[in-house]
Amino acid sequence: DSDAKKEAVEQAAVIAQNILKETNVENLLKAKSYEQSVAYVSEEGCSVVVSGEIKDSDTLIIQEIVMEQTGLSADKIKIIGTK
């Protein structure tokens, strides 16, 4: 069915865009000295896991990077630090 095929192509494009956003977020975090981080971007929001303890100043930096790269608002960003 051509509609199903079109929808599958659109979903694949969204996934590819999200992967690109994740990579951009991770690379920018690495440039800001957050050496070990993982970002997961979806339509609902973004989760970022960063190695180490997260301070308020870290949260602001990470949020700004994610908001710039994804267009998401701060309330849709979850930041997790590992201790």
Side-chain angles (χ1 to χ4, degrees):
D1 185 56
S2 67
D3 287 342
K5 189 182 239 183
K6 183 179 176 185
E7 187 176 327
V9 169
E10 288 173 2
Q11 288 177 349
V14 169
I15 291 169
Q17 288 174 342
N18 287 345
I19 290 170
L20 181 61
K21 290 175 185 176
E22 291 167 0
T23 302
N24 288 344
V25 167
E26 291 167 1
N27 286 338
L28 287 169
L29 288 173
K30 189 175 281 191
K32 292 279 188 180
S33 298
Y34 301 99
E35 291 295 324
Q36 296 182 331
S37 66
V38 177
Y40 172 73
V41 177
S42 68
E43 292 179 22
E44 293 82 35
C46 179
S47 296
V48 180
V49 179
V50 178
S51 179
E53 190 175 337
I54 302 296
K55 299 178 180 134
D56 288 343
S57 59
D58 296 318
T59 300
L60 293 174
I61 292 167
I62 295 166
Q63 264 185 353
E64 184 177 327
I65 289 171
V66 174
M67 288 173 16
E68 286 176 359
Q69 295 301 310
T70 64
L72 294 169
S73 58
D75 63 320
K76 295 190 176 197
I77 300 168
K78 183 174 183 180
I79 301 168
I80 303 158
T82 62
K83 296 183 181 181

